[in-house]
Amino acid sequence: MMESVGVYGFCGCKAKNKLKCDSKWEITAAETAPTSAYSSPARSLGDTGITPLSPSHIVNDADSNVSDQQTFLVVVAIDFGTTSSGYAYSFTKEPECIHVMRRWEGGDPGVSNQKTPTTMLLTPERKFHSFGYAARDFYHDLDPNEAKQWLYLEKFKMKLHTTGDLTMDTDLTAANGKKVKALEIFAYALQCFKEQALKELSDQAGSEFENADVRWVITVPAIWKQPAKQFMRQAAYQAGLASPENSEQLIIALEPEAASIYCRKLRLHQMIELSSKAVVNGYSASDTVGAGFAQAKEHVRRNRQSRTFLVENVIGEIWSELEEGDKYVVVDSGGGTVDLTVHQIRLPEGHLKELYKATGGPYGSLGVDYEFEKLLCKIFGEDFIEQFKIKRPAAWVDLMIAFESRKRAAAPDRTNPLNITLPFSFIDYYKKFRGHSVEHALRKSNVDFVKWSSQGMLRMSPDAMNALFKPTIDSIIEHLRDLFQKPEVSTVKFLFLVGGFAEAPLLQQAVHTAFGDRCRIIIPQDVGLTILKGAVLFGLDPAVIKVRRSPLTYGVGVLNRYVEGKHPPEKLLVKDGTRWCTDVFDKFISADQSVALGELVKRSYTPAKPSQLVIVINIYSSEHDSVSFITDPGVKKCGTLRLDLTGTGGTAVPARREIQTLMQFGDTEIKATAVDIATSKSVKVGIDFLNY
């Protein structure tokens, strides 16, 4: 029994020396009104407070939440990208074969990949119409006046990164300016992938494939905050991929982790090395940025007919050079964001440990598009561009598609100009809007490096195109430089450059110039599919990632004995002659602390009165490490454990009831449990960042 042990707690005050209290912990309920944004544990309406019975301790229960993947016949991974998306799958009986999705209808000149644009079209009645190329092409073919009634959405994934107060009710804005619920759009997109994948699996198997046979993996940027990661899971539940009751069917994978897992398998013929330290496949560093990469892309293009990639069940040659404790950086450069993650090798199994928490920012290839838009504003006027986007939304989409294919032709050594076709409606609408021609606007703009071609095109010099890349690439290089200043990162052996934007020769050259003498720079040949394939491998073996860094500090709100001069006067609560300090943040785990997959942190608490039948434990989080009170700036409530003990009256209960609280960390989701030790009654909750 807990009563027989002299248990002491530590108060949560801001004093440098934590004060050991001079008596055993007790708790009380009170009627006093709350004094802060969060009601204190002892003051919330009728809820009892709790107080610690034991310091936190970690139980290494690392495999308890890794369900047996053999219960699933297939793993399907969805790479939900900002600009393009796709899926790949592998049957659990043939884990060495990764199949990339069947090509959907449509395609773009100058753009070869096996993904589909992340674009969606809703009817004027706001019903789902189509996704991907089908959505884009249908929208393009609509009459301009009719198109204004349809809701067309693209690049909407960035909303989850840029929205500070993301909720289930967050809106997205369609091309015509109308608003629609983000959760619906993400759920529609995932449902589309689910239907396509199940249809392809059924066709391949020759019989109907059930969703219950599939383990789903969805990739998200590592730098996303917890609400965005939870939002993606909620959208997947709404799309029917999994359910809260069967949450293990869905894994939310971090994009650089997925890339890292795939890079372990790379053989020499599957990569290009940019660094000047070695020659790979007969190419020197200066060759590989140009000719070597072009040849590699051609090799990949030819191989894409099969859509099936063999992943040998061996560790690749590069990986085999790594020793225990060696470090490497994964730079995941996509359409919207760039994620930088530092991993360390743990032998003998080669498991991965996240060494430094993920950093990065909105430095994806979209930045180049924004620079192009700024250039158009400079030439034609911001007022015209804004009006054109609203009045001729389909033509604006056309213009950006034309720019995308020329953007991919940009290279450091290019000498001939790049032509970007202007849609006829752009030329026509500009004349009506301004009263003079596009050609006149270009002459008057003083933008020397963009000329007008008589074929109806903008002619951009290579330097002009390269200048559009510069701000985004500079941001990536600057961020990498900052990362390399960290002591943990100074001895990195390899830098893996992955993601769709990693195909850009300008980015490759910039990374090589800045860091080629510090570490070896490796690019997988099928760089745009690296994350997708790695996500499949992660779904087949989720335990390969062993240690992550906690992005937040987690704890619960408790009461401690009030100590004069140590605790703020406004936290004093007196009840039945006992002086309590309210709102104390009792920490479970700190931000940036290493957490093993499936690790459990246990704390024991006791309620106010032995007769108390409802125990309420509020869970809080903060981005800061040093948190003392739940009312500190930046502390947010993210979960409530409500343990109802009614109906347990026949059980012998000790004078001081022990409520054990467990938090399980390490996965991208965090689960909390409260157990009444006397009766074994328990309650579970997932940490919730969207509904508080």
Side-chain angles (χ1 to χ4, degrees):
M1 268 174 55
M2 294 304 294
E3 196 62 49
S4 63
V5 183
V7 181
Y8 294 87
F10 293 91
C11 66
C13 69
K14 291 179 178 172
K16 286 184 181 174
N17 297 314
K18 298 277 184 186
L19 181 77
K20 200 175 193 183
C21 297
D22 59 0
S23 67
K24 295 173 188 174
W25 291 109
E26 294 178 0
I27 198 72
T28 185
E31 301 87 21
T32 318
T35 58
S36 67
Y38 289 116
S39 53
S40 70
R43 298 175 184 177
S44 51
L45 303 169
D47 294 344
T48 180
I50 55 167
T51 189
L53 276 172
S54 67
S56 65
H57 62 285
I58 288 175
V59 181
N60 205 340
D61 192 15
D63 296 316
S64 65
N65 75 331
V66 182
S67 55
D68 180 8
Q69 65 255 23
Q70 295 310 312
T71 56
F72 302 104
L73 299 179
V74 67
V75 169
V76 179
I78 300 171
D79 180 2
F80 197 122
T82 304
T83 50
S84 61
S85 300
Y87 68 83
Y89 58 93
S90 179
F91 294 97
T92 50
K93 287 185 178 174
E94 290 183 304
E96 68 283 352
C97 289
I98 298 176
H99 309 271
V100 178
M101 69 178 200
R102 277 196 296 226
R103 183 66 179 267
W104 287 353
E105 69 270 48
D108 286 333
V111 179
S112 68
N113 72 33
Q114 285 179 278
K115 294 182 185 175
T116 193
T118 309
T119 51
M120 185 175 295
L121 187 62
L122 305 185
T123 67
E125 298 74 41
R126 294 171 178 262
K127 301 287 184 213
F128 174 79
H129 180 270
S130 48
F131 182 80
Y133 285 115
R136 212 189 61 191
D137 295 347
F138 187 92
Y139 182 62
H140 164 268
D141 292 340
L142 285 169
D143 176 84
N145 288 320
E146 195 183 351
K148 283 187 263 184
Q149 307 305 314
W150 289 67
L151 284 80
Y152 179 79
L153 296 111
E154 62 177 354
K155 299 165 186 165
F156 48 84
K157 180 184 169 187
M158 276 301 281
K159 183 80 172 183
L160 299 197
H161 180 67
T162 55
T163 304
D165 54 348
L166 185 69
T167 70
M168 305 284 263
D169 294 320
T170 294
D171 287 325
L172 296 173
T173 305
N176 61 1
K178 291 181 181 174
K179 299 224 180 293
V180 62
K181 290 276 171 277
L183 190 67
E184 283 180 29
I185 298 303
F186 279 83
Y188 279 147
L190 291 171
Q191 193 174 351
C192 198
F193 279 116
K194 175 191 162 193
E195 288 168 5
Q196 288 282 347
L198 288 176
K199 185 174 185 305
E200 182 172 344
L201 289 166
S202 298
D203 290 349
Q204 192 151 331
S207 59
E208 198 68 25
F209 222 90
E210 297 293 331
N211 187 62
D213 296 328
V214 180
R215 162 171 268 164
W216 296 95
V217 182
I218 300 175
T219 62
V220 300
I223 55 166
W224 268 15
K225 294 194 184 305
Q226 295 300 104
K229 293 171 185 173
Q230 184 187 334
F231 186 96
M232 198 59 106
R233 180 169 278 274
Q234 292 301 324
Y237 289 161
Q238 192 161 314
L241 272 68
S243 66
E245 297 73 37
N246 189 20
S247 60
E248 288 77 15
Q249 189 176 1
L250 169 67
I251 296 173
I252 301 292
L254 306 182
E255 288 167 3
E257 284 187 351
S260 194
I261 292 163
Y262 180 66
C263 287
R264 319 165 66 204
K265 303 279 189 182
L266 285 175
R267 308 305 303 271
L268 283 176
H269 65 275
Q270 295 170 314
M271 67 180 83
I272 302 100
E273 181 161 358
L274 294 187
S275 50
S276 52
K277 292 190 176 181
V279 172
V280 176
N281 293 351
Y283 290 100
S284 69
S286 56
D287 294 333
T288 48
V289 174
F293 199 75
Q295 182 171 342
K297 282 170 80 172
E298 176 61 23
H299 171 76
V300 171
R301 190 190 64 73
R302 287 199 304 270
N303 283 356
R304 279 190 177 154
Q305 303 311 312
S306 68
R307 292 187 307 108
T308 299
F309 295 81
L310 286 176
V311 180
E312 298 173 54
N313 193 21
V314 295
I315 299 297
E317 288 95 339
I318 288 280
W319 213 263
S320 61
E321 293 179 31
L322 291 170
E323 298 166 357
E324 173 80 43
D326 277 351
K327 305 164 192 173
Y328 61 94
V329 177
V330 177
V331 180
D332 170 21
S333 45
T337 54
V338 168
D339 259 347
L340 313 177
T341 313
V342 185
H343 282 150
Q344 190 172 33
I345 299 293
R346 296 174 68 189
L347 298 174
E349 300 92 347
H351 286 142
L352 312 179
K353 174 182 178 180
E354 188 182 359
L355 193 66
Y356 186 78
K357 68 178 179 183
T359 59
Y363 317 129
S365 60
L366 279 186
V368 186
D369 298 358
Y370 294 143
E371 289 299 316
F372 178 61
E373 191 176 326
K374 275 162 61 178
L375 178 65
L376 292 176
C377 289
K378 189 175 176 185
I379 297 169
F380 302 107
E382 193 172 339
D383 55 342
F384 166 72
I385 295 297
E386 287 309 310
Q387 275 301 302
F388 181 70
K389 284 160 77 173
I390 293 164
K391 299 289 188 189
R392 301 283 188 272
W396 175 255
V397 170
D398 267 0
L399 175 55
M400 294 313 289
I401 291 166
F403 174 68
E404 178 68 27
S405 76
R406 304 323 297 142
K407 182 172 92 177
R408 288 169 181 262
D413 52 355
R414 188 181 177 103
T415 53
N416 54 325
L418 296 118
N419 293 328
I420 297 159
T421 305
L422 282 182
F424 172 75
S425 63
F426 185 99
I427 299 165
D428 182 55
Y429 190 70
Y430 184 78
K431 185 146 193 172
K432 287 175 184 165
F433 190 87
R434 288 272 190 251
H436 57 248
S437 69
V438 164
E439 189 177 356
H440 177 82
L442 275 161
R443 276 203 311 271
K444 291 283 184 188
S445 69
N446 297 323
V447 178
D448 298 333
F449 41 78
V450 181
K451 305 290 183 198
W452 177 246
S453 150
S454 55
Q455 290 101 339
M457 295 177 179
L458 294 178
R459 288 176 72 85
M460 290 184 74
S461 72
D463 287 346
M465 178 63 88
N466 295 0
L468 299 182
F469 280 78
K470 193 175 186 314
T472 304
I473 289 176
D474 284 353
S475 294
I476 295 170
I477 299 300
E478 186 183 341
H479 218 88
L480 269 168
R481 281 212 173 95
D482 289 346
L483 185 66
F484 272 93
Q485 299 301 317
K486 311 287 181 199
E488 307 97 315
V489 188
S490 57
T491 55
V492 159
K493 272 198 173 179
F494 293 99
L495 186 153
F496 291 99
L497 192 57
V498 302
F501 195 27
E503 292 181 355
L506 289 165
L507 176 59
Q508 294 171 21
Q509 187 193 50
V511 172
H512 171 240
T513 302
F515 306 105
D517 58 344
R518 296 192 64 161
C519 58
R520 293 171 66 180
I521 298 164
I522 308 291
I523 306 179
Q525 279 184 357
D526 50 348
V527 64
L529 297 173
T530 301
I531 290 157
L532 194 49
K533 295 179 190 176
V536 173
L537 294 172
F538 186 42
L540 292 166
D541 180 17
V544 68
I545 301 286
K546 281 295 186 190
V547 179
R548 283 201 179 98
R549 294 270 168 174
S550 175
L552 298 171
T553 297
Y554 294 95
V556 300
V558 301
L559 296 180
N560 281 348
R561 278 300 167 104
Y562 187 85
V563 180
E564 205 72 50
K566 298 289 185 186
H567 290 135
E570 68 271 16
K571 300 296 182 190
L572 173 62
L573 172 71
V574 181
K575 183 68 176 174
D576 297 335
T578 305
R579 293 156 65 84
W580 298 101
C581 178
T582 65
D583 298 337
V584 174
F585 185 99
D586 191 37
K587 193 186 292 185
F588 268 68
I589 209 152
S590 297
D592 207 27
Q593 187 174 331
S594 288
V595 193
L597 180 76
E599 203 164 86
L600 286 172
V601 180
K602 292 186 182 180
R603 294 297 297 263
S604 289
Y605 300 98
T606 190
K609 308 174 243 179
S611 58
Q612 189 75 33
L613 293 177
V614 177
I615 315 295
V616 176
I617 300 171
N618 289 318
I619 303 165
Y620 299 88
S621 66
S622 171
E623 291 184 9
H624 306 293
D625 180 20
S626 54
V627 185
S628 299
F629 297 99
I630 63 169
T631 51
D632 286 355
V635 176
K636 294 179 181 173
K637 189 173 173 184
C638 59
T640 298
L641 286 161
R642 191 179 185 88
L643 190 56
D644 189 347
L645 301 177
T646 50
T648 59
T651 310
V653 175
R656 182 170 297 179
R657 191 166 204 148
E658 182 184 357
I659 306 297
Q660 195 174 76
T661 306
L662 306 94
M663 274 197 213
Q664 189 166 50
F665 296 89
D667 196 355
T668 40
E669 287 77 46
I670 297 152
K671 300 178 179 75
T673 309
V675 183
D676 176 35
I677 297 301
T679 62
S680 297
K681 196 163 186 179
S682 68
V683 62
K684 292 184 179 181
V685 68
I687 301 298
D688 187 346
F689 296 96
L690 294 172
N691 295 309
Y692 283 96

